[in-house]
């Protein structure tokens, strides 16, 4: 009690965040009941018919549900892999830059896309990837003689576009953690290697890269918890009915089935299924991070 009386201003400071968490995260959990009901808005939760696990059974019986889960896994895994490899490689190259002004300029330039919403970037991509005069297709036609590519209307090209655009948006921001790891490398290691006659390439391979491996393991393992999060904002702003078969993910599928089609019980069941799997993967990923890199939060 003595500590509570002494630190009450700090507890008061976190009160708004705590209220926000309760109102928008914990109270809505009561809606999970809808996953076990044939929910009708005019009857409400109390009056809707209880159907048990029928919504979950229906989830695994519907062909489009299984396709959506597969799409989510493919897109999410590609994003996780390349959003680890590209920032890792970029941080190595940027670390070799000796001119501080140019290094800072490049860092700022590649950070900027992270702070733009997918609403803005979606509009930009729709314009530059258009088959009707889009910049990318005009370059392909004029320089390489390639027929215009329907990037956002062909399923395979849509996946490619989603992954590449996400990498472009996030790799600069993702490189921060690797650059922070490199800032902690003892400069005497490079000096000793240089005295021994090691070239810059050998210094990179034997000092820089090994110094980054532990944090790469942590980032990679913690990313496993997001394996069912393929990016609702991005997909929602880029997809269309032509690419549903290859580009539809769990979150957009839930939006269409629950909000647009009114199948709220079924949509809630899909969301609950995703949340449970995500929680299990997060627990597993933290265990891996602790075992492989001695990373722990508590």
């Amino acid at each position: 009690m003595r500590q509570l009386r002494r630190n009450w201003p700090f507890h008061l400071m976190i009160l708004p965040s705590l209220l926000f968490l309760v109102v928008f995260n914990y109270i809505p959990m009561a809606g999970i009941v809808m996953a076990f009901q044939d929910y009708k808005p005019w009857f409400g939760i109390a009056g809707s018919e209880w159907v048990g696990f029928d919504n979950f059974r229906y989830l695994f019986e519907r062909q489009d549900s299984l396709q959506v889960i597969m799409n989510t896994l493919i897109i999410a895994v590609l994003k996780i892999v390349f959003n680890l490899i590209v920032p890792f490689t970029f941080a190595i190259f940027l670390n070799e830059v000796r001119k501080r002004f140019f290094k800072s300029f490049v860092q700022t330039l590649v950070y900027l896309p992270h702070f733009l919403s997918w609403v803005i970037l979606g509009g930009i991509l729709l314009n530059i990837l258009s088959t009707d005069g889009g910049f990318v297709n005009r370059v392909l036609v004029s320089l390489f003689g390639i027929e215009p590519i329907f990037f956002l209307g062909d399923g395979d090209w849509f996946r490619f576009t989603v992954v590449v655009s996400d990498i472009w948006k996030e790799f600069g921001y993702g490189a921060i953690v690797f650059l922070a790891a490199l800032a902690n490398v003892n400069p005497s290691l490079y000096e000793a290697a240089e005295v021994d006659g090691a070239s810059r390439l050998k210094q990179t391979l034997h000092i820089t890269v090994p110094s980054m491996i532990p944090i790469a393991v942590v980032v990679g393992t913690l990313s496993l918890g997001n394996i069912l999060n393929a990016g609702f904002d991005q997909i929602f702003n880029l997809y269309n009915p032509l690419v549903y078969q290859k580009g539809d993910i769990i979150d957009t599928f839930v939006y269409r089935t629950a909000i647009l089609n009114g199948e709220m019980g079924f949509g809630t069941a899909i969301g609950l299924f995703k949340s449970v799997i995500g929680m299990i993967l997060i627990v597993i990923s933290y265990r891996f991070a602790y075992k492989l890199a001695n990373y722990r939060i508590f």
Side-chain angles (χ1 to χ4, degrees):
M1 289 297 296
R2 182 181 302 174
Q3 286 188 347
L4 181 62
R5 286 196 298 269
R6 185 173 58 190
N7 297 324
W8 70 265
F10 300 108
H11 293 281
L12 190 63
M13 287 173 62
I14 68 170
L15 183 60
S17 299
L18 186 61
L19 290 174
F20 184 90
L21 183 69
V22 170
V23 171
F24 292 101
N25 290 80
Y26 285 96
I27 293 178
M29 284 185 182
I32 291 175
V33 177
M34 293 162 54
F36 306 94
Q37 294 179 322
D38 181 17
Y39 179 78
K40 304 297 183 185
W42 49 89
F43 292 139
I45 292 178
S48 296
E49 181 185 358
W50 188 267
V51 295
F53 289 94
D54 285 357
N55 287 323
F56 295 93
R57 191 178 301 113
Y58 186 42
L59 166 64
F60 292 102
E61 290 175 352
R62 283 181 56 159
Q63 189 62 37
D64 54 352
S65 299
L66 300 178
Q67 183 63 48
V68 162
I69 294 172
M70 184 59 65
N71 293 341
T72 304
L73 288 173
I74 292 172
I75 294 174
V77 168
L78 288 173
K79 283 185 177 183
I80 288 172
V81 171
F82 287 102
N83 275 324
L84 179 64
I85 294 174
V86 175
F88 185 92
T89 306
F90 173 74
I92 291 174
F93 282 116
L94 193 63
N95 187 61
E96 297 301 314
V97 176
R98 291 292 172 259
K99 293 188 179 297
R100 182 171 297 179
F101 173 79
F102 180 73
K103 185 175 182 178
S104 300
F105 173 75
V106 171
Q107 281 183 283
T108 304
L109 193 66
V110 298
Y111 290 167
L112 287 178
H114 171 78
F115 299 99
L116 297 177
S117 82
W118 276 113
V119 176
I120 297 172
L121 292 178
I124 294 173
L125 288 173
L126 287 173
N127 283 322
I128 66 174
L129 297 177
S130 171
T131 55
D132 185 19
F135 173 76
V136 173
N137 276 308
R138 279 191 296 172
V139 171
L140 292 175
V141 172
S142 59
L143 295 184
F144 304 102
I146 300 175
E147 290 295 320
I149 298 173
F150 203 179
F151 287 100
L152 299 177
D154 180 272
D156 294 324
W157 279 109
F158 180 79
R159 285 179 179 174
F160 172 82
T161 304
V162 164
V163 174
V164 170
S165 59
D166 185 73
I167 293 168
W168 168 75
K169 184 178 186 293
E170 300 295 342
F171 84 94
Y173 191 79
I176 293 176
V177 66
F178 296 113
L179 292 171
L182 290 175
N184 291 325
V185 178
N186 192 342
S188 63
L189 295 175
Y190 293 103
E191 295 170 2
E194 191 172 355
V195 170
D196 290 339
S199 63
R200 292 299 303 176
L201 177 60
K202 289 188 176 181
Q203 291 178 40
T204 300
L205 292 176
H206 298 288
I207 299 176
T208 305
V209 173
S211 300
M212 297 169 66
I213 292 298
I215 193 65
V217 170
V218 171
V219 173
T221 53
L222 295 183
S223 297
L224 292 176
N226 292 317
I227 202 166
L228 292 182
N229 291 323
F232 172 80
D233 290 348
Q234 181 190 19
I235 303 293
F236 182 75
N237 283 286
L238 294 178
Y239 84 150
N240 57 76
L242 294 174
V243 296
Y244 280 172
Q245 187 175 3
K246 295 286 186 74
D248 200 14
I249 61 172
I250 291 176
D251 291 331
T252 53
F253 186 62
V254 169
Y255 169 77
R256 288 205 323 279
T257 54
I259 306 300
L260 299 185
N261 298 341
E263 300 178 63
M264 295 186 181
F266 179 64
T268 306
I270 302 172
L272 181 59
F273 165 77
K274 176 194 167 186
S275 298
V276 170
I277 299 299
M279 183 187 70
I280 293 171
L281 290 173
I282 287 173
V283 172
I284 293 173
S285 65
Y286 273 102
R287 292 298 301 171
F288 271 119
Y290 175 68
K291 292 291 185 181
L292 298 176
N294 199 29
Y295 173 84
R296 62 190 304 171
I297 298 177
F298 303 107

